[in-house]
Amino acid sequence: MARYMETLTIERGGFRIKVPESWWEFDVRPESRNDSIRRMVAERVRQQPDLAKYKDTYAAFLQKAAADAWKSGALYCGCMAESFGGDTPITGSITVSLVGGRTKDGEPLSTDPQVMAGQLAVREAKKEGDAWRKVTTVDIPGVGPAARTYGIEDIPVPDDALKRTIRAVLMQTFVPVPGQEGKVALVAGSSQVLDLADSFFDIFDAITSTFRFAE
């Protein structure tokens, strides 16, 4: 997957971020997202007919990503779905959401990266194949320090009565929003292609490093 990629700058209310030019942004609104995604997949297949056998897989992945993004309050959602000659398409996504929290007393939670990193839970794998999570802080050029988690995680399926989970490569970076107490911009990258975890960590880190607040 390591290859040079042209980038596209996405600008939304209050921020901008760069993603690979081949990634798709799509409408996450419930009333229109499924039709929008079907049209996007159909257009991509017209451009690359060898992807036709993956059409349903792409559509299902993108529709789920859009639904999850909407529920999380995403301001931006982009996905990749590529075939690199194997039997399984390579898929991944990036979302940017504005999130916040308060204590039981109603006070805004601290967005200090060191404080947040101390409150985020580390998870150690007890045996090979277990889920795991590491916590760190990173410095985003032009923005400053931010808390981050990354690992292989079991993500709960939203609104699932059976409490099922999906195992995924996941990186979450919590960027404090200037002038807004308790608010962070959450840049989250995920993929279900576990064998390429290290490559996806590099991709998600590179994309997150381009995040900037709009002036």
Side-chain angles (χ1 to χ4, degrees):
M1 290 176 59
R3 62 180 185 178
Y4 176 78
M5 293 184 180
E6 296 290 340
T7 60
L8 178 68
T9 300
I10 305 297
E11 294 193 27
R12 292 294 176 268
F15 74 90
R16 62 182 182 274
I17 193 168
K18 291 183 179 180
V19 299
E21 195 172 44
S22 61
W23 285 44
W24 304 342
E25 180 186 6
F26 48 85
D27 182 2
V28 297
R29 295 173 299 175
E31 66 272 18
S32 53
R33 64 187 175 223
N34 287 350
D35 285 343
S36 175
I37 289 169
R38 280 193 290 267
R39 288 195 299 271
M40 289 170 54
V41 171
E43 176 61 27
R44 190 58 175 264
V45 169
R46 279 195 292 272
Q47 295 172 358
Q48 295 183 259
D50 59 314
L51 299 180
K53 61 183 178 180
Y54 301 125
K55 181 176 66 175
D56 292 341
T57 300
Y58 286 165
F61 170 80
L62 294 170
Q63 287 168 357
K64 184 184 183 307
D68 291 347
W70 175 261
K71 290 177 182 177
S72 70
L75 302 175
Y76 166 77
C77 182
C79 285
M80 66 163 287
E82 299 285 351
S83 172
F84 292 90
D87 294 332
T88 304
I90 307 301
T91 56
S93 67
I94 284 281
T95 61
V96 180
S97 308
L98 183 64
V99 299
R102 293 183 177 274
T103 66
K104 293 180 180 179
D105 298 326
E107 295 297 319
L109 292 175
S110 174
T111 59
D112 178 273
Q114 292 293 341
V115 174
M116 292 190 70
Q119 295 172 337
L120 295 167
V122 173
R123 179 173 182 176
E124 299 288 345
K126 295 181 179 179
K127 62 181 185 300
E128 186 175 355
D130 280 356
W132 57 272
R133 181 196 304 127
K134 294 186 178 181
V135 178
T136 187
T137 58
V138 294
D139 190 73
I140 300 176
V143 175
R148 168 177 289 174
T149 67
Y150 67 98
I152 305 296
E153 303 213 33
D154 292 322
I155 304 171
V157 176
D159 302 323
D160 184 69
L162 299 178
K163 307 296 183 182
R164 287 171 293 189
T165 60
I166 295 174
R167 183 158 291 187
V169 181
L170 181 63
M171 177 181 286
Q172 298 185 99
T173 306
F174 303 82
V175 187
V177 179
Q180 295 192 37
E181 283 191 305
K183 295 287 187 180
V184 296
L186 172 58
V187 185
S190 66
S191 172
Q192 293 180 40
V193 187
L194 305 184
D195 290 343
L196 295 177
D198 288 341
S199 294
F200 272 110
F201 289 144
D202 289 343
I203 291 172
F204 298 151
D205 176 66
I207 293 174
T208 303
S209 72
T210 70
F211 179 89
R212 300 291 185 274
F213 290 106
E215 299 178 359

